[in-house]
Amino acid sequence: MLRNYISFRKAVAGYLGWWLFWIFVQTLVLHRLGLSWQIALTDAAISNLLLALVGIATENTYRFYNPGAGNRIQRLLYAITLSFAYIYALQFVLAKVFEQNLNYLQFLDNSLPLRYMIALLMIALMTVTSWLFYFMKEQYENTQRKEEAEKLVREAELSALRLQLQPHFLFNSLNSISALAGSKPEEARKMIQQLSDFLRGTLKKDEQQLVQLSDELAHLQLYLEIEKVRFGHRLSTQINCDEAALTKLLPSLLLQPLVENAIKFGLYDTIENITIGITAKAEGKSLHIQISNPFDASTSRPKTGLGFGLNSVQRRLQLIYSRQDLLQLEQKENTFTATLIIPQLA
Amino acid sequence: MIKAILIDDEPLARSIIKEYLQGFPEIEVMDECNNGFEGVKAIQQHQPELLFLDVQMPKINGFEMLELLEYTPAVIFTTAFDEYAIKAFETHAIDYLLKPFSKERFSKAVQKWLSGRTQSTSTAQVQNLNDTNFNHADEQHRIVVKNGSNIKIIPVQEVNYIEAYDDYVKIFTKDAHHLKKKTMNYFEKVLSASDFLRVHRSYIVQLSQITRIEPFEKNNHIALLKSGAKIPLSRNGYLKLKEVLGI
C-alpha cells in the first residue's frame, strides 16, 4: 500500500528525468541512423516532450476519473487514440521545424510507423501507471476509511455497553428506598447515598481504562450493599482475594455485570438462601477471578446464549485484548462458575 | 373483612404495600409470601379475594403462579418491569403498579377494585380476555404444572406430546403426564414452531420424538414416538408433518 505518497516535487523530478533519459537515448539512436547531432537532439526533444505532455494529460484524466479495474478495452482504446493524435501532432510540428530539410522529411515519413509503435507503448505504460496509482490510492483511502469506521463503531459500542444501566435494579432499589423512607428514614438516606455513589462510579468510568482490582472491588461493594438491602434475608457474599491480586489491573466495571448475573441467577433459580463466591488470584502474568452462584440443575431453564450481561463482558474483553477465551463458564452440579482471565500487559 | 395476600420476594417491597394498606382498614393481610410456591399454598389456605403480586420471583413467576390456582382472586401486579403490562391485563389483573409507586396511585388501584367489586365481570368480557390471552404470548421454554400440592417445572424439550382432554390438556413427558387447564390453541401458539407441530385437532407433538410414520387403516397415518406412543395424524396434520420433515 502507498503508505506515504511520493511528494509532488519528487514526482515532477522523476518524470522529467524519465523523459530526459529517453531524449538522450533517442538522440543517440537518431545520430546512429545518420542524422546530425543537432537535428537528432531537436527531434528527440520534441518527440519526447510531446509525449511527456500526453502523459500529464493522461495522469490528469485518471486523477478525476478512474474507470475501475475491469475496463481494459477502454484503456486500450484510449492509448491507441492518443497515440494517433500524438503522431499527427508530432508529424505536424517536426515538418514545420524542418520545413527545408527534404532528407529529414523523408526520414520522418519512413520512421512514422516505428515512432507510432514506441508512442503506443509509452502511452500504454503511462495509462497503466496512472490508473494503477489512482487505483491504489483509492484502495488505500478505502482502507483508511474502513479503519476509521471500525474505530468509531468500537468506541460507540463501548460507550453503549457502559450505558447499559440496569433499569430494573434502579427501580427496585428506588422502591426499597421508598419503603424505608416511611419506617427507617436513616437507612433510606444511607441507601440513597450508596445508590448515588454506585451510579456516579458507573457513569464516570471510562470503559477502556484499566483499574486496580481493589478499586473495582470497592465499586462492587456498593452494588452488593444495595442488593443486600433488597435481598438481605437470602443473599450473602464471600470474597476471597490474594494480597498480590489487589494491585493487578483489569478493565473497569467488568466484574459488576458478572456479579449481577450471578445474583440474578442464584436468587431466581432457587428459593433457598444463596451465597455468591468471588475469588481473585494473581497467577503468573494474569489475574484470575472466579464468580460462582448456586443454581438448580434440575429445573434451570435452558440457557440460550450467554445472556446480556455475560455477552457484553465477553465482547469487551474481545475488543480490549482481541481474545475470545478470557471468559469461561462452567456448570457443575449445583454451582455455576464464571472464570475471568485478565492478562497483565505491563 | 376482605382477605388479601402479598407475594413479593423483596421484604421491603411488601412492607410498603402493608404501609399503604393502612389506609384501607377493611382489607386484612392474611399472609406474606417470598415466592410463588408459598403463594400457592397460602392462597389455598386463606382463599383471599385480593392478591398483590410481583412478576419476577424465584423459580416461577407471578403469571405461572396464577396458572396453578384453582380460582383466580383479584390481582394487582406490582413490578419494576413495564413489559408485562399487556400480559397482566390479559389475565384478570385489576391494575398494574410500576415500582416505585406512590400512595395515591396505589390507593386509586385499590379503590377502583373496591368500588367495582360488587358487580361481577360480565361473561362476555371474561370470554374476550380468554381469547386474547395467547395472542401476545411469548414463546415458552417451560410449563409449570401442579399435581396436588406438588409444583413441577417442565422444560418444553421434555414434553413428548400434548393431548386435548376436555377443558384441560394432558402434557406427556418421558415418565408421567400432567393436567393443565389451557387450550390446544394456546399451546400451539406458545410452543416453538420449529420443535412442535399440531398434527391433529387433539394432538401436538415434539418433532424430535417422532421415529416413524406408518399407514393406519384406510387413508390414515399414525406417528410413532420414541416413548412408544402412537399419535393419530389428521389428513392435514400428515401433510404438514411431511412438509416439515421434508419427505
Side-chain angles (χ1 to χ4, degrees), chain A residues 47 98 136 163 203 211 246 259:
Chain A
S47 319
F98 299 104
M136 300 263 277
L163 288 179
L203 293 173
V211 298
L246 284 174
V259 173

Side-chain angles (χ1 to χ4, degrees), chain A residues 167-168 170-184 191 229-231 233-234 264 267-271 296 298-302 304, chain B residues 8-16 19-20 34-35 37 54 56-60 79-83 98-101 141-142 153 155-158:
Chain A
H168 302 137
L170 192 57
F171 290 135
N172 279 314
S173 300
L174 289 172
N175 195 50
S176 301
I177 291 172
S178 173
L180 287 170
S183 51
K184 300 167 185 165
M191 191 168 171
V229 174
R230 294 175 55 201
F231 297 107
H233 56 303
R234 292 186 57 206
K264 227 190 266 170
L267 283 179
Y268 291 113
D269 205 58
T270 64
I271 52 175
D296 185 343
S298 64
T299 63
S300 175
R301 43 202 110 159
T304 47
Chain B
D8 194 308
D9 59 333
E10 295 185 41
L12 281 172
R14 298 197 302 267
S15 79
I16 195 167
E19 187 191 320
Y20 286 169
N34 275 306
N35 54 57
F37 297 92
D54 190 6
Q56 200 178 31
M57 290 188 296
K59 290 283 199 187
I60 58 174
T79 172
F81 295 72
D82 52 5
E83 57 261 40
L98 280 172
K99 291 173 181 174
F101 41 83
H141 300 294
R142 56 194 194 153
I153 300 165
V156 291
Q157 60 274 32
E158 285 176 21

Side-chain angles (χ1 to χ4, degrees), chain A residues 22-31 43-44 47-48 115:
Chain A
W22 285 110
I23 290 173
F24 177 67
V25 171
Q26 195 175 337
T27 307
L28 285 183
V29 171
L30 291 178
H31 182 66
D43 178 312
S47 319
N48 284 297
R115 289 172 190 263

Side-chain angles (χ1 to χ4, degrees), chain A residues 141-158:
Chain A
E141 281 167 355
N142 278 345
T143 323
Q144 283 231 310
R145 253 198 305 277
K146 227 170 101 186
E147 274 172 14
E148 187 72 18
E150 270 169 13
K151 208 176 124 202
L152 285 176
V153 166
R154 214 154 70 155
E155 275 165 14
E157 198 174 358
L158 279 174

Side-chain angles (χ1 to χ4, degrees), chain A residues 258-259 261-262 265-266 275-279 281 288-295 303 306 310 326-340:
Chain A
L258 290 175
V259 173
N261 187 69
F265 205 179
T275 301
I276 304 291
I278 301 170
T279 341
K281 274 184 288 201
H288 287 223
I289 304 171
Q290 283 200 325
I291 295 160
S292 63
N293 64 271
F295 78 108
K303 296 272 280 175
L306 290 175
L310 298 184
L326 298 178
L327 175 64
Q328 287 154 13
L329 306 172
E330 190 187 28
Q331 299 191 3
K332 205 185 251 174
E333 281 155 25
N334 285 334
T335 306
F336 180 87
T337 309
T339 306
L340 265 179

